[in-house]
Amino acid sequence: DIVMTQTPLSLSVTPGQPASISCKSSQSLLHSDGKTYLYWYLQKPGQPPQLLIYEVSNRFSGVPDRFSGSGSGTDFTLKISRVEAEDVGVYYCMQSIQLPWTFGQGTKVEIK
Amino acid sequence: QVQLVQSGAEVKKPGASVKVSCKASGYTFTSYGISWVRQAPGQGLEWMGWISAYNGNTNYAQKLQGRVTMTTDTSTSTAYMELRSLRSDDTAVYYCARLELGMDWFDPWGQGTLVTVSS
């Protein structure tokens, strides 16, 4: 199975400040079709997860532009340019290049 | 709007089976798949598998092979996940999510169904 390792596991951020989460995969997520199958989800407290980013860097519909994704191969990053109170929750990266699809352990983001 | 509504919480004894439903609305059911993801209390997300609502093709996580069955009823736009031979470590919130076939993303998600396995 592909292991997804996120760092840090928790993050406390002052509103308006940036935040960054790293996700490293044990194998390359670049497919022969040219796509990289890496996604980011946010699970707000008491809610199901919601899609933020697909294929490394594409913001899903309705996702604010303060969220951005980058990376390639095995190293990926989610950045929030200016954290807002509504961004609290647990962020997960996920790969779907190989079965079973696997998630990172999650990074809990809270507001200072 | 696109919505997935799941069945209510269940309490089961070890060795029993559970069947969770996920009713879709607001889109063409057979144009997408449904994936199932579970979350043990206080833990992260675990992908269980997916089913194509178009042709019924399935892919299950190997660790659940033989215990899980995912099905769909296109007449009612409902997906089902049955888990058999329940153990205490199957206690979790079970989520269904619409799967964009070929794109592999999940959106939206159902509200979740808590399955508690306890003697």
Side-chain angles (χ1 to χ4, degrees), chain A residues 39 41 43 49 54 96 99, chain B residues 39 59 95 103-106 109:
Chain A
Y39 307 81
Y41 291 88
Q43 186 174 29
Y54 64 95
S96 68
L99 294 171
Chain B
Q39 185 170 38
N59 252 307
Y95 293 103
M103 304 293 283
D104 298 348
W105 70 56
F106 308 144
W109 296 55

Side-chain angles (χ1 to χ4, degrees), chain B residues 29-33 51-57 72 74 101:
Chain B
F29 185 64
T30 52
S31 294
Y32 294 81
I51 181 168
S52 166
Y54 173 69
N55 57 16
N57 285 351
T72 59
T74 56
L101 294 169

Side-chain angles (χ1 to χ4, degrees), chain B residues 91-111:
Chain B
T91 294
V93 175
Y94 289 76
Y95 293 103
C96 63
R98 187 181 70 166
L99 172 64
E100 182 81 31
L101 294 169
M103 304 293 283
D104 298 348
W105 70 56
F106 308 144
D107 177 76
W109 296 55
Q111 82 277 20

Side-chain angles (χ1 to χ4, degrees), chain A residues 11-102:
Chain A
L11 204 48
S12 183
V13 188
T14 301
Q17 293 302 301
S20 181
I21 300 169
S22 170
C23 175
K24 296 184 188 297
S25 58
S26 60
Q27 299 176 36
S28 175
L29 303 185
L30 174 62
H31 194 274
S32 56
D33 64 7
K35 295 180 182 178
T36 300
Y37 289 86
L38 185 281
Y39 307 81
W40 289 97
Y41 291 88
L42 164 60
Q43 186 174 29
K44 295 184 179 181
Q47 296 185 20
Q50 59 190 79
L51 177 65
L52 294 177
I53 302 283
Y54 64 95
E55 293 172 15
V56 180
S57 59
N58 298 285
R59 270 190 308 275
F60 191 63
S61 174
V63 174
D65 62 6
R66 63 180 180 275
F67 290 94
S68 64
S70 63
S72 63
T74 60
D75 288 358
F76 306 95
T77 301
L78 176 71
K79 292 183 179 176
I80 311 172
S81 59
R82 294 173 305 279
V83 172
E84 297 188 5
E86 65 181 27
D87 301 336
V88 298
V90 182
Y91 291 76
Y92 295 93
C93 58
M94 191 202 86
Q95 67 80 21
S96 68
I97 195 172
Q98 181 185 104
L99 294 171
W101 297 353
T102 48

Side-chain angles (χ1 to χ4, degrees), chain B residues 11-83:
Chain B
V11 179
K12 297 291 183 181
K13 294 194 182 304
S17 299
V18 69
K19 192 169 186 176
V20 179
S21 68
C22 170
K23 183 169 177 59
S25 61
Y27 71 96
T28 302
F29 185 64
T30 52
S31 294
Y32 294 81
I34 294 287
S35 197
W36 291 87
V37 174
R38 68 180 181 178
Q39 185 170 38
Q43 301 301 307
L45 303 171
E46 179 185 12
W47 176 79
M48 300 177 67
W50 61 258
I51 181 168
S52 166
Y54 173 69
N55 57 16
N57 285 351
T58 54
N59 252 307
Y60 301 140
Q62 190 163 14
K63 70 175 284 189
L64 297 173
Q65 286 275 3
R67 290 206 300 137
V68 68
T69 301
M70 297 176 188
T71 56
T72 59
D73 181 344
T74 56
S75 68
T76 60
S77 299
T78 302
Y80 298 91
M81 186 284 300
E82 182 179 31
L83 190 60

